C-alpha cells in the first residue's frame, strides 16, 4: 500500500474494516418492529407480483439501491465494477462512494464503471462538507460527467468527520452552497446521511434548498463514528463512546416522510436494512427506494455468483412480502398505510 495517497489508504482501510469486523451500531434500526399486515387470502398469483418502480423518472426492476460505498482506490475500483455489473444486469440503482479524490486528481482510470453498466441508474457522490474545502460546483459537474450519473448524492457525516483523526470539521455556512449546487449542477441532488440519520429540520432545509430526494441512512447498521475509532488508537475511545449515536432508521424514515409529503419529495429508506422484508417495511412506511451498503459489500466479497444469489433472494423476499400483504405491486403496499 506504499504508493497510495492518504485518501486511497483510508478507503482501503474502510473496506477492510467493513468486510472483516463488527462495524455496526449496537442499537437496532427498528425495522423488525414494523409488522406488515398479513392477508390470509391474497387475491393474487405470486408470479404476477410486480416489483418495478420509478425513481426520479428512471425505471428500476425493483426498489433497491446499492448505497454509496467506494471507488478511487485499487480495491474500491474492483468492488465498484462488480457492483455495477449487478446493477446493470438486475435493473437496480447504484451509488458510488465519495469522488473527492477524483475531483482532486482528475485521473481517467478512477470511477470508470459506466462502460460496464451503460444502462444502470448511477449516482455520483461527494461529502457536503467538501463544499467548505476544495470542492466547487465545477468539480461536482466533473464527477457527475465522469460517471454519466443520473443524480448527485451529497452526503452528510458530521459525526464521522468529528471522530476521524484527519476529519474535515467545518460544517458552518453550507446551506447557501448546497442551494447554489442544486440550482447549477445540472442533475438532481440527493441529500443523504451515512448512518446517523437525517433529522426532520435538515430534511426541511434540504427541500427548501432544492434537493430532489432524501436518503435517511439512519442508525442501526454500519456506524461511521465507530469505524473511525477502529482506524486510530488515538480516536478509539471516542468512536466507542459514540457507537450508538444517531436516529434509528425507522424513526428517521417516518419523520422525514412526514416532512417530504407536502412537496412529494422522494425518500430513500436505508441504514441497517438487511433483507427484502426490511425493504418492504421501509416501503410500507412511505419510502420510494431502499438502500443497503454493508450487505452488498460482504456478498460481493464472497464472489459475483454469491452477490447475485444474495440479491435474488432479497427480491424474492420483497415479492413474498408483497404477496402476503395482498399487494400486487409496490404502490399497493404503500396504499395499505395511506402512504400514497
Ligand atoms: C465501505 C463503505 C464505504 C462507504 N462510503 C460512503 C461514501 O463514500 N459516501 C456515502 O455517502 N456513504 C458511504 N457509506 C455509507 C453507506 O452509503 C450507508 O449510508 C451506510 O453504510 C448505512 O447503510 P448500511 O447499514 O446498509 O451499511 C459507506 C458504507 C460502507 C459500508
Amino acid at each position: 500500500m506504499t504508493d497510495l495517497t492518504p485518501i486511497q489508504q483510508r478507503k482501503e482501510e474502510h473496506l477492510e474494516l467493513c468486510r472483516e469486523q463488527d462495524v455496526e451500531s449496537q442499537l437496532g434500526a427498528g425495522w423488525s418492529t414494523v409488522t406488515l399486515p398479513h392477508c390470509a387470502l391474497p387475491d393474487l398469483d405470486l408470479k404476477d407480483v410486480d416489483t418495478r418502480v420509478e425513481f426520479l423518472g428512471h425505471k428500476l426492476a425493483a426498489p433497491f439501491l446499492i448505497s454509496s460505498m467506494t471507488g478511487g482506490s485499487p480495491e474500491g475500483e474492483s468492488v465498484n465494477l462488480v457492483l455495477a455489473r449487478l446493477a446493470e444486469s438486475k435493473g437496480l440503482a447504484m451509488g458510488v462512494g465519495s469522488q473527492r479524490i477524483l475531483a482532486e486528481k482528475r485521473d481517467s482510470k478512477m470511477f470508470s464503471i459506466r462502460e460496464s453498466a451503460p444502462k444502470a441508474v448511477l449516482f455520483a457522490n461527494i461529502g457536503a462538507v467538501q463544499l467548505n474545502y476544495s470542492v466547487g460546483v465545477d468539480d461536482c459537474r466533473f464527477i457527475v460527467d465522469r460517471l454519466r450519473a443520473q443524480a448527485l448524492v451529497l452526503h452528510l457525516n458530521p459525526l464521522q468527520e468529528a471522530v476521524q483523526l484527519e476529519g474535515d470539521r467545518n460544517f458552518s455556512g453550507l446551506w447557501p452552497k448546497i442551494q447554489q449546487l442544486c440550482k447549477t449542477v445540472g442533475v438532481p441532488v440527493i441529500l443523504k446521511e451515512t448512518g446517523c440519520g437525517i433529522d426532520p429540520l435538515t430534511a426541511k432545509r434540504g427541500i427548501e434548498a432544492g434537493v430532489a430526494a432524501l436518503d435517511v441512512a439512519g442508525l442501526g447498521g454500519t456506524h461511521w463514528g465507530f469505524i473511525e475509532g477502529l482506524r486510530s488508537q488515538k480516536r478509539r475511545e471516542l468512536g466507542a463512546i459514540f457507537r450508538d449515536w444517531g436516529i434509528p432508521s425507522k424513526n428517521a424514515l417516518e419523520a422525514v416522510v412526514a416532512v417530504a409529503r407536502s412537496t412529494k419529495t422522494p425518500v430513500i429508506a436505508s441504514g441497517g436494512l438487511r433483507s427484502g422484508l426490511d425493504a418492504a417495511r421501509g416501503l410500507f412506511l412511505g419510502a420510494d427506494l431502499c438502500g443497503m451498503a454493508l450487505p452488498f459489500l460482504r456478498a460481493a466479497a464472497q464472489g459475483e455468483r454469491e452477490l447475485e444469489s444474495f440479491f435474488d433472494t432479497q427480491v424474492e423476499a420483497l415479492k413474498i412480502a408483497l404477496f402476503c400483504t395482498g399487494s400486487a405491486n409496490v404502490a399497493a403496499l404503500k396504499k395499505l398505510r395511506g402512504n400514497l
Side-chain angles (χ1 to χ4, degrees):
M1 280 201 192
T2 42
D3 49 2
L4 298 184
T5 66
I7 298 186
Q8 287 176 316
Q9 175 92 35
R10 185 164 71 227
K11 300 266 166 203
E12 305 268 292
E13 285 172 18
H14 285 158
L15 284 173
E16 191 181 333
L17 285 168
C18 286
R19 265 196 332 258
E20 281 159 32
Q21 298 215 24
D22 176 6
V23 291
E24 297 182 274
S25 69
Q26 286 166 322
L27 280 184
W31 301 121
S32 61
T33 64
V34 182
T35 306
L36 297 177
H38 177 65
C39 173
L41 203 171
D43 193 10
L44 294 169
D45 183 338
L46 176 57
K47 73 172 168 37
D48 297 329
V49 168
D50 183 359
T51 59
R52 289 173 302 171
V53 291
E54 258 191 53
F55 185 78
L56 296 177
H58 303 287
K59 291 183 172 36
L60 299 171
F64 287 102
L65 165 70
I66 302 172
S67 294
S68 311
M69 277 189 277
T70 192
S73 69
E75 200 196 334
E77 291 295 314
S78 35
V79 171
N80 268 352
L81 265 185
V82 169
L83 295 173
R85 283 199 285 266
L86 182 81
E88 177 75 11
S89 65
K90 302 287 179 179
L92 68 160
M94 170 181 168
V96 298
S98 170
Q99 292 169 280
R100 173 183 164 196
I101 188 168
L102 176 66
E104 282 171 11
K105 294 195 130 226
R106 308 258 166 160
D107 178 338
S108 64
K109 289 191 290 298
M110 287 177 179
F111 294 92
S112 46
I113 59 170
R114 179 49 90 185
E115 296 68 23
S116 308
K119 293 199 216 89
V121 174
L122 297 179
F123 301 153
N125 187 292
I126 195 90
V129 74
Q130 295 312 320
L131 300 174
N132 271 353
Y133 290 85
S134 52
V135 171
V137 173
D138 282 347
D139 298 303
C140 291
R141 281 202 201 102
F142 179 79
I143 63 170
V144 165
D145 289 350
R146 178 82 198 85
L147 217 59
R148 279 182 273 134
Q150 280 87 348
L152 170 67
V153 169
L154 202 55
H155 72 255
L156 304 172
N157 61 343
L159 179 69
Q160 178 180 15
E161 299 288 353
V163 176
Q164 188 180 98
L165 194 59
E166 62 276 45
D168 293 322
R169 302 189 172 91
N170 177 16
F171 277 69
S172 65
L174 281 173
W175 283 120
K177 296 179 183 177
I178 293 175
Q179 185 168 22
Q180 181 64 13
L181 182 70
C182 291
K183 265 197 207 135
T184 54
V185 74
V187 288
V189 172
I190 301 170
L191 194 64
K192 166 183 181 295
E193 236 284 350
T194 49
C196 293
I198 299 252
D199 56 285
L201 179 62
T202 301
K204 184 171 171 284
R205 287 190 167 165
I207 293 169
E208 285 164 4
V211 307
L214 296 153
D215 182 342
V216 299
L219 177 75
T222 312
H223 198 277
W224 285 94
F226 183 61
I227 293 172
E228 293 300 345
L230 291 179
R231 277 188 58 234
S232 142
Q233 195 58 43
K234 277 195 191 147
R235 310 298 281 175
R236 189 142 304 182
E237 195 179 342
L238 273 177
I241 289 171
F242 282 94
R243 183 169 186 172
D244 290 328
W245 177 274
I247 313 165
S249 299
K250 181 223 166 203
N251 303 14
L253 177 64
E254 287 182 307
V256 169
V257 163
V259 169
R261 188 167 289 129
S262 62
T263 48
K264 293 195 161 54
T265 306
V267 179
I268 302 172
S270 74
L273 273 176
R274 294 296 175 257
S275 69
L277 172 55
D278 283 347
R281 291 165 164 150
L283 297 165
F284 178 68
L285 296 182
D288 299 281
L289 195 62
C290 301
M292 290 191 245
L294 198 64
F296 280 116
L297 179 70
R298 289 191 171 162
Q302 304 294 310
E304 227 157 321
R305 215 177 307 143
E306 286 79 357
L307 174 66
E308 187 180 351
S309 151
F310 164 77
F311 179 69
D312 289 345
T313 302
Q314 304 324 319
V315 173
E316 203 175 341
L318 171 62
K319 265 193 183 159
I320 292 173
L322 290 170
F323 179 62
C324 290
T325 54
S327 311
N329 50 41
V330 171
L333 177 68
K334 291 172 71 153
K335 245 189 230 155
L336 281 182
R337 197 167 180 256
N339 270 321
L340 201 72

